[in-house]
Amino acid sequence: MANRTPLSQKWESPPKTVTPVSIMATQSDLRQLVPKPGMRVYGVWMPRTDENGRQLKALLDYLLDGENDAKDIYDALGISSSTYYRRIKENDYPNAEELRRVADRFALSYPDLQIQFGLMSRQEVWSYIESAPFTMTAVQEAVQTKQTTRPPKLSEMKPRADAPPL
């Protein structure tokens, strides 16, 4: 072991005593700010995120227990794929109407999605429910009729007479 080859580099040894000169505070260049939703950082607007920082697609993956394709989302929104990919980069995505369409398509709670994305607070939802002129029986009847109605089957559909041929 006495025949060691010399190292190719000179390694710096730590100081034996600590002095004010040996302790230097430097700001790391690698530390960057985390963008906040709706704030302009790095020259781009960040879309809305839920309470846990997830975008809509990630939240749907979590809530629906699986991988949802972007196609499912832009079909639910009723927009093209190019519009969807442009839209997800905008700071007001998802807006209330988009959340309503997604909630309808995936059978989720629309008020819960609004709360998750910060469009309404829980207190605003409760005060709306308390001030609404309906009774609990009316709500139960509406829920039952929603559950009993179903979209028509393809065999039951008929072409519109006023629509031009493709």
Side-chain angles (χ1 to χ4, degrees):
M1 287 203 168
N3 295 337
R4 291 187 184 195
T5 58
L7 296 173
S8 62
Q9 297 177 350
K10 284 193 166 195
W11 296 98
E12 190 176 320
S13 61
K16 301 217 186 286
T17 60
V18 177
T19 64
V21 175
S22 66
I23 302 173
M24 294 193 307
T26 57
Q27 185 79 14
S28 172
D29 292 336
L30 300 175
R31 184 176 179 184
Q32 298 178 359
L33 295 173
V34 176
K36 294 186 169 103
M39 301 273 305
R40 193 174 170 96
V41 179
Y42 312 120
V44 250
W45 285 97
M46 294 299 298
R48 285 187 181 109
T49 56
D50 73 347
E51 297 169 332
N52 297 315
R54 293 178 291 215
Q55 291 184 9
L56 180 60
K57 183 178 182 325
L59 178 66
L60 290 176
D61 288 345
Y62 172 75
L63 291 175
L64 301 174
D65 254 353
E67 193 69 28
N68 292 311
D69 294 332
K71 183 179 183 338
D72 297 334
I73 298 171
Y74 62 74
D75 283 346
L77 296 175
I79 58 177
S80 67
S81 62
S82 58
T83 303
Y84 170 74
Y85 286 108
R86 178 186 48 79
R87 186 78 184 100
I88 62 174
K89 296 175 188 172
E90 295 175 2
N91 67 330
D92 65 337
Y93 173 80
N95 61 28
E97 177 61 18
E98 290 166 334
L99 289 178
R100 185 194 61 77
R101 289 180 179 188
V102 166
D104 287 348
R105 173 63 65 92
F106 297 109
L108 298 172
S109 168
Y110 174 53
D112 278 345
L113 286 178
Q114 283 188 310
I115 291 168
Q116 283 285 325
F117 283 94
L119 296 175
M120 288 183 81
S121 70
R122 293 183 196 283
Q123 183 59 38
E124 289 171 326
V125 171
W126 278 114
S127 46
Y128 172 74
I129 290 171
E130 289 169 353
S131 69
F134 53 79
T135 63
M136 219 36 192
T137 56
V139 171
Q140 290 171 346
E141 288 172 6
V143 168
Q144 288 173 349
T145 57
K146 173 115 176 139
Q147 289 174 348
T148 58
T149 59
R150 62 170 175 74
K153 292 181 180 178
L154 190 59
S155 61
E156 298 170 349
M157 297 174 108
K158 295 182 177 134
R160 287 182 16 206
D162 63 329
L166 295 177

